[in-house]
Amino acid sequence: MDVKCLSPDLSVTGQLTPSDLTAAAKTGFRAVICNRPDGEGGDQPGFAEVEAAARAAGLEARYLPVLSGKVSDRDVTAFRGELAALPKPVLAFCRTGTRSATLWALGEAAAARPLPDILAATKGAGYDLSGVVRRIAAGGRIPTDHADHFHSVVVVGGGAGGIAVAASLKARKPDLDIAVIDPADVHYYQPGWTMVGGGVFAPSDTARTMASLIPDGVSWIKAAVAAFEPERKAVILEGCRVVRYDRLVVAPGLKLNWAGIEGLPETLGRNGVTSNYRFDLAPYTWDLVRNLRAGRAVFTQPPMPIKCAGAPQKAMYLSADHWLRQGRLGDIAVELYNAGPVLFGVKEYVPALMEYVKRYDAHLNFNHTLTRIDGPARRACFSRKAEDGACETVETDFDMIHVVPPQQAPDFVRVSPLADAAGWVDVDSGTLRHRRFPDVYALGDACNAPNAKTAAAARKQAPVVAHNLLVEMGHLRGSEVAYDGYGSCPLTVERGKILLAEFGYGGKLMPSFPAWLIDGTKPSHLAWLLKERMLPPIYWKAMLKGREWMAKPEGGAPKPAGKAAA
């Protein structure tokens, strides 16, 4: 008896024998539902036999037979009714448990439970419901099998990666039929939020309407994605609208899991708890920094991977620099709690960073992961991992705390066929093409390429995806090009100076400028001007417009395939 839990009220399993019922009762179950018709298998006990054994064990039993592959709406309604009426918890069974899991999933969809939550539960129990995912998205109803939209290339995500790749595709083939799927009205320049939290940028500097950024000639489907069906070349939208494609590009960014830290959602934006990882909170960071006169300032960094791994430190450096300039730093204890074992993953940049750690008298705490926060009491709780692997709990108080939440791929990606074991889109790290579905590409934060998750990485990835996709479709002559893992992290170590960290796969240094102009291992004012004055217009007016200054992939400039004879 291999029992799989789907919810506190229901678990499912394969065929039960009469002898299993006593064990089920001892485990704590109070009722069973049989979803397998009698006589389906030669070695299958009849329901009457199962029911008698269940009653002898003190369990209620119900017979709700469902033909394999033919779960009807009536079956779902009946299953929900029995589940509501029976004492909990309930154990449902069929031949393998799949029919029982499907009935539960369709019932939960009818009750408006989010599709990713349903798929996460069934996938975690070992059941693949990809065959009914469209029906789950339709609220449990049997949907019509037609596409509401078709586009040659569909891009999921209207963030930095999605808009940039759509623009790069249009720049190479202006007549290409492209659609971008994204429900948001506003597009944010997220690298600017550190500067908002440091009092350098205004929040409005980092936002534009999505409509103003969708490239000319590109359709915008303003909707949320519910699921992928890569075998059918289809994207399922919330409400069960279907978008079909020839090629798919996945660039939805990642999910900030604020709820992954106990007590955090309730206290964000008050009680001295802030984060530059949210548009509406970055101004609060600056308010706290300006108004703090004395006390303890705590900055946290969660386990990797996260977007812009230097951002937690940037907040610390800019805040401490302000307090130093205001003559308050001597009355403020600055502490960094990092879930990782080192200050920065590329060792060449660490010596310069340590000079600023010393300047600000910041205390570094490695292998500390924030697990709980009590805003009103101004207490933060960390799990500390010792060298021998043992964990202990460490608590500290704070007057202000800058929190970075744990991060993961979006729910609809994590539970999809596109995901690897960790939930990220599974791509070749060079071509950015999916390892199992050759008509799917991915870039940006949601893919599993082992690079830093930064906007600078997406700027380099977008032309690679655009080139390779068009070569593979036959629209360009030439061979595939490879992304080298480039990412950039402008570390704002003080107001007016930046350590311009640029590196690729394996931590290889990849400077964009000669050392006599900008030496990335040393803080410089010129790098600050690059971050403050040049990078925002490069983002808005070049990257998102298909202009690939210092980003065009190597490998020549292939010509359109249709002009080969000319």
Side-chain angles (χ1 to χ4, degrees), residues 4 6 98 120-128:
K4 303 292 180 64
L6 296 179
T98 300
T122 55
K123 184 177 181 180
Y127 295 104
D128 179 9

Side-chain angles (χ1 to χ4, degrees), residues 412-426:
F412 65 87
V413 170
R414 290 190 298 110
V415 300
S416 78
L418 302 179
D420 65 7
W424 306 95
V425 183
D426 191 13

Side-chain angles (χ1 to χ4, degrees), residues 203-373:
S204 59
D205 295 335
T206 69
R208 300 282 189 279
T209 63
M210 186 71 78
S212 70
L213 297 174
I214 300 293
D216 292 341
V218 172
S219 300
W220 177 22
I221 301 174
K222 191 175 182 291
V225 171
F228 296 104
E229 290 185 349
E231 299 89 348
R232 302 179 188 179
K233 293 192 173 185
V235 176
I236 314 303
L237 307 180
E238 287 187 353
C240 204
R241 285 191 293 154
V242 179
V243 182
R244 293 193 181 272
Y245 57 81
D246 282 328
R247 300 295 183 275
L248 174 67
V249 181
V250 184
L254 50 67
K255 174 183 176 179
L256 301 176
N257 186 20
W258 301 101
I261 300 171
E262 182 184 348
L264 179 59
E266 302 93 310
T267 194
L268 275 169
R270 54 185 181 272
N271 299 317
V273 182
T274 189
S275 180
N276 289 342
Y277 274 69
R278 229 171 68 181
F279 173 78
D280 60 318
L281 294 178
Y284 184 52
T285 302
W286 180 230
D287 287 343
L288 291 173
V289 171
R290 284 186 301 171
N291 294 321
L292 186 64
R293 296 295 191 272
R296 176 174 281 109
V298 174
F299 299 83
T300 76
Q301 180 161 331
M304 297 292 284
I306 63 172
K307 62 170 69 183
C308 192
Q313 292 179 52
K314 296 179 191 181
M316 179 182 72
Y317 298 136
L318 281 180
S319 301
D321 179 67
H322 176 77
W323 296 322
L324 179 64
R325 292 170 186 264
Q326 297 298 313
R328 305 179 203 160
L329 188 59
D331 297 318
I332 298 173
V334 178
E335 297 194 25
L336 175 67
Y337 286 82
N338 188 341
V342 295
L343 184 61
F344 197 74
V346 182
K347 66 180 187 306
E348 284 82 358
Y349 301 109
V350 173
L353 294 176
M354 286 303 300
E355 290 300 316
Y356 279 91
V357 169
K358 295 175 183 176
R359 173 186 292 191
Y360 303 134
D361 195 23
H363 184 67
L364 305 181
N365 303 276
F366 296 117
N367 300 309
H368 283 68
T369 301
L370 181 63
T371 58
R372 181 170 53 85
I373 193 163

Side-chain angles (χ1 to χ4, degrees), residues 35 37 40 65-72 75 99:
N35 297 130
E40 191 177 65
V66 176
L67 294 176
S68 180
K70 296 183 178 180
V71 178
S72 69
D75 293 331
R99 268 169 281 181

Side-chain angles (χ1 to χ4, degrees), residues 194-195 200 314 317-318 321 325 353 356 359-360 489-500 518 520 522-532:
T194 292
M195 302 292 262
V200 181
K314 296 179 191 181
Y317 298 136
L318 281 180
D321 179 67
R325 292 170 186 264
L353 294 176
Y356 279 91
R359 173 186 292 191
Y360 303 134
C489 185
L491 291 152
T492 49
V493 290
E494 63 175 288
R495 192 181 185 106
K497 284 191 178 181
I498 273 177
L499 193 73
L500 185 60
I518 297 179
K522 299 177 181 178
S524 75
H525 181 61
L526 189 57
W528 174 274
L529 294 177
L530 177 71
K531 168 77 173 177
E532 181 188 22

